[in-house]
């Protein structure tokens, strides 16, 4: 990672991007309309929720990314998910794109849309439209922070990050912002992520790189399966850095994909840090699985187990709940081979408790962050998941959040 | 169900069974060794956890049920799961069977064993053996209630039930007992169920009937997937009622399977009733699914969703979280066809909110028990799951339970 330098800023750190965030009274007095615009046509890649219920903006973005070649902007509203809103919801999403394009003077098909918030409620289009007009007049090459604030729902802090690398002797920047308050976000768990880069990137290579980066970042934190109808990550590449277009044969490909992963992972970890009511942040690694798929099943079963998560909150080194989750995960397991560590302390060896470790384990459970590592000793499959505990505050927050 | 009459009692309600429960100081002062004995050799069927980590007793029971033809007894201890205890655990389970057989004067291979409690800790065999000797001397044809008490771990009430039917003009009884405190039981979620009947039943027919009954009862409440290494249901049929052996061609087969299901369902519902910290009991039904498997996926996704369960606790008719769970469940879904009811009030029609239902929905959410029904309008698959909410007390209980 030494060739990837973290710098200040977010989506407007790369050259040729402007952004803003403005209040449009969709969710109260805070900012709730964001806009990110590229000065020139950009290639865009997207990854979307696998939920079979899809927010209106997901349908619109998928269709446009399939049909279009270049894009100029994305407009985002928070406070209303525009999901389960039927044909009117689709018309509203298209209207948001159309109005944004008109304000920016670009083709309507070159604007993408994202929404996050309450579902099942018609979009307050009068407010949304006023907000779009307001935002279009406030775009700024230093507007990334405002944009990051206005996409928040129950997030307690805005989440943005930027990095710099060199490719073809040129300075290349990648910036990003995201929202999503923890493992499970009450407002339908929506995760939105936006990445911008001034690198020139071949369109299909950009899709490849984004998919790989998201798989090892955002997809390692949405571990409870509560995927929302609106989860979306979009990456814009506008070529303003002047490098030769990147693809897997380009000598700069490795550093570019490394930098892209650094951006998505940093954003994903910020989401876990902001986890609802979380008191502990836990890295769960399963190694030695028969396959990578098995490792993923096992690591997610541990990270999603309510019994495991509440035991962390209770500072209880209850490895029995961990091995239990491994056992029902669907991964191949041979009981007599299972080893489990909490940080550097081995709790289980060959499927049985180690002796005399309890006091050391209890000390680890008092820490704010620690790692649980399970070795199945059956193969080379490995997977890491970033998660947090389930606290009393988690239940309070999610019980009190009203429709 | 009118031919199935509920009667008093549990595992000793059928003729030819004796039982008891005694304290052996495995988990304090309460009863923790139970024994159920048939006066004559009985056919036995069993269903077991699908966890890949298996408690010692599961390994023993599976091997004996495969090898043996008839059985006389099961000995059960609570307080120690005898799981993740390696080869010594297997030797201890065999020793429990051997000692019980010696005390009863029956072949050692005709005794089965069950354990529930903390995992990873060696069995305190001196106490267990003293308890077995004590229990063997206290067996009684009215000892079912004592046995039901001594299998409890965090259960707050013992769970037993019995029914009576007529087959071949004979009075046939089926009794049962179970333990397991709610959707997720802190002590490794172990569910143990024991069914006795004085009916004569063909051995393979008994397996068939038990599997079907368990699928529509105990398997409809272990909905969080936190299946323990020890989950076990055993059914003993000793033929003392004097009927012709039952199999699917016998005219009494339907009433027998109906009665068996009534026993297992009653026990399963008692477990949900005793759910840890539960304030609401919710029946989740998905119908109109493309297949029964799809219906099961969708109903379990709803019942297992932490977002859904905390919204029930918060009395929030948040159908968005319900349709979200259906969407990521893996079941085939067409958004525009989804209908959702809370009891008799329709919250969602054709994938969109109904108008003016919110106040009525809020009234339903204030009730202690209600039903959520989802119709996918894609086929004939249907599935029902019995579950409860996730309360602040749930987290407290599971955070405070120490290894």
């Amino acid at each position: 990672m030494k060739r990837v330098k973290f710098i200040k800023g977010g989506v407007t750190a790369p050259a040729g991007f402007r952004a803003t965030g403005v209040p449009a009274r969709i969710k109260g007095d805070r900012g709730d309309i964001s806009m990110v615009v590229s000065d020139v046509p950009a290639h865009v890649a997207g990854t979307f929720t696998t939920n079979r219920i899809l927010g209106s903006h997901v349908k619109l973005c998928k269709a446009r990314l399939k049909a279009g070649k270049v894009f100029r902007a994305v407009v985002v509203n928070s406070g209303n998910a525009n999901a389960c809103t039927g044909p009117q919801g689709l018309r509203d999403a298209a209207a948001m794109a159309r109005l944004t394009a008109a304000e920016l003077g670009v083709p309507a098909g070159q604007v993408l849309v994202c929404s996050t918030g309450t579902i099942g409620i018609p979009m307050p289009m009068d407010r949304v439209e006023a907000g779009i007009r307001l935002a279009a007049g406030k775009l700024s090459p230093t507007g990334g922070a405002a944009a990051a604030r206005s996409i928040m729902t129950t997030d307690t802090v805005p989440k943005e990050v930027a990095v710099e690398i060199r490719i073809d002797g040129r300075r290349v920047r990648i910036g990003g912002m995201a929202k999503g308050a923890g493992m499970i976000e009450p407002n339908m768990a929506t995760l939105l992520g936006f990445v911008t880069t001034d690198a020139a990137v071949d369109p299909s290579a950009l899709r490849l790189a984004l998919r790989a980066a998201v798989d090892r970042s955002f997809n390692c934190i949405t571990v409870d399966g509560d995927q929302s109808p609106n989860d979306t990550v979009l990456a814009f590449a506008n070529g303003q850095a002047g490098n030769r277009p990147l693809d897997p044969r380009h000598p700069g490909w490795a550093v570019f994909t490394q930098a892209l992963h650094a951006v998505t992972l940093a954003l994903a970890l910020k989401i876990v840090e902001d986890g609802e009511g979380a008191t502990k942040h836990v890295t769960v690694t399963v190694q030695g699985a028969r396959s990578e798929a098995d490792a993923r099943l096992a690591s997610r079963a541990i990270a999603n187990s309510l019994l495991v998560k509440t035991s962390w909150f209770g500072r209880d080194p209850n490895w029995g709940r961990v091995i239990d989750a491994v056992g029902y995960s669907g991964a191949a397991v041979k009981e007599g081979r299972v080893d489990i560590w909490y940080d550097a302390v081995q709790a289980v060896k060959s499927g049985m408790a180690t002796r005399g470790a309890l006091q050391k384990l209890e000390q680890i459970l008092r820490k704010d962050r620690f790692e649980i590592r399970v070795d199945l000793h059956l193969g080379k499959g490995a997977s890491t998941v970033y998660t947090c505990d389930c606290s009393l505050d988690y239940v309070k927050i999610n019980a009190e959040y009203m429709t």
Side-chain angles (χ1 to χ4, degrees), chain A:
Chain A
M1 294 283 280
K2 62 188 167 184
R3 289 177 299 169
V4 177
K5 189 173 99 191
F6 279 85
I7 59 174
K8 278 190 71 170
V11 291
T12 49
F17 286 97
R18 288 170 298 144
T20 194
V22 299
R25 292 187 299 125
I26 304 170
K27 65 172 187 207
D29 293 336
R30 294 186 299 156
D32 42 25
I33 292 275
S34 290
M35 209 176 272
V36 181
V37 179
S38 172
D39 293 340
V40 297
H43 292 304
V44 176
T47 67
F48 301 95
T49 182
T50 58
N51 200 305
R52 307 229 178 152
I53 304 291
L54 296 179
S56 303
H57 88 250
V58 175
K59 296 172 187 167
L60 177 140
C61 286
K62 282 185 153 184
R64 292 196 172 187
L65 288 178
K66 204 169 172 187
K69 292 210 181 310
V70 291
F71 298 87
R72 288 294 296 275
V74 59
V75 58
V76 190
N77 78 277
S78 58
N80 187 316
N82 193 9
C84 298
T85 43
Q88 185 60 45
L90 284 175
R91 287 192 289 271
D92 290 343
M96 287 173 68
R98 200 165 51 236
L99 179 59
T100 302
E103 291 290 321
L104 299 176
V106 304
Q110 295 186 7
V111 175
L112 299 168
V113 179
C114 286
S115 299
T116 176
T118 312
I119 85 160
I121 294 175
M123 286 287 274
M125 285 305 287
D126 48 344
R127 297 177 182 200
V128 171
E129 286 170 8
I132 289 173
R133 288 195 187 91
L134 183 63
K138 294 206 171 185
L139 289 165
S140 153
T142 57
R149 273 195 304 277
S150 291
I151 61 173
M152 292 162 60
T153 51
T154 60
D155 306 61
T156 64
V157 291
K159 297 161 186 75
E160 57 172 353
V161 68
V163 302
E164 187 175 303
I165 51 177
R166 291 198 79 82
I167 290 175
D168 294 340
R170 308 283 181 139
R171 188 182 78 178
V172 164
R173 291 180 161 185
I174 307 177
M177 64 179 185
K179 59 87 44 176
M183 297 317 308
I184 305 178
E185 208 275 327
N187 217 341
M188 296 310 302
T190 292
L191 181 149
L192 295 183
F194 302 93
V195 176
T196 54
T197 180
D198 44 25
V201 191
D202 168 79
S204 65
L206 184 62
R207 284 192 290 273
L208 195 71
L210 182 67
R211 165 57 58 200
V214 167
D215 270 349
R216 292 183 299 135
S217 58
F218 293 118
N219 282 351
C220 292
I221 62 162
T222 58
V223 293
D224 50 20
D226 269 26
Q227 254 204 81
S228 98
N230 285 31
D231 294 345
T232 298
V233 181
L234 295 175
F236 284 71
N238 71 3
Q240 294 296 285
N243 62 296
R244 284 184 297 117
L246 286 157
D247 68 22
R249 291 158 310 192
H250 190 295
W253 181 248
V255 69
F256 174 74
T257 55
Q258 202 176 49
L260 182 63
H261 180 237
V263 167
T264 58
L265 184 60
L267 291 172
L269 292 178
K270 281 173 194 278
I271 290 172
V272 178
E273 290 294 312
D274 200 13
E276 287 171 344
T279 71
K280 295 192 186 305
H281 297 98
V282 185
T283 302
V284 176
T285 296
V286 172
Q287 64 190 53
R290 190 165 288 171
S291 65
E292 202 184 309
D294 266 18
R296 209 174 300 128
L297 283 174
S299 60
R300 278 161 195 253
I302 297 167
N304 288 336
S305 162
L306 197 48
L307 279 174
V308 170
K309 286 166 114 66
T310 51
S311 72
W312 293 339
F313 176 60
R315 302 177 168 193
D316 178 10
N318 195 327
W319 60 264
R321 296 183 183 178
V322 174
I323 199 169
D324 178 49
V326 171
Y328 66 67
S329 68
V333 178
K334 286 196 176 160
E335 183 179 331
R337 296 196 190 180
V338 179
D339 291 344
I340 302 177
W341 286 265
Y342 287 67
D343 284 347
V345 179
Q346 187 160 11
V348 174
K349 188 175 166 57
S350 305
M352 287 184 286
T354 55
R355 293 187 182 227
L358 191 59
Q359 211 176 348
K360 283 184 206 162
L361 291 171
E362 283 171 350
Q363 277 166 5
I364 291 167
L365 266 288
R366 280 195 285 269
K367 301 200 302 181
D368 289 347
R369 56 192 69 230
F370 55 87
E371 183 184 20
I372 291 182
R373 190 158 51 86
V374 177
D375 196 329
L376 299 177
H377 292 293
L378 291 175
K380 294 184 174 177
S383 166
T384 294
V385 173
Y386 308 96
T387 188
C388 52
D389 62 343
C390 178
S391 67
L392 289 173
D393 278 348
Y394 174 90
V395 177
K396 278 184 201 159
I397 293 167
N398 282 293
E400 283 163 12
Y401 179 90
M402 286 292 156
T403 328

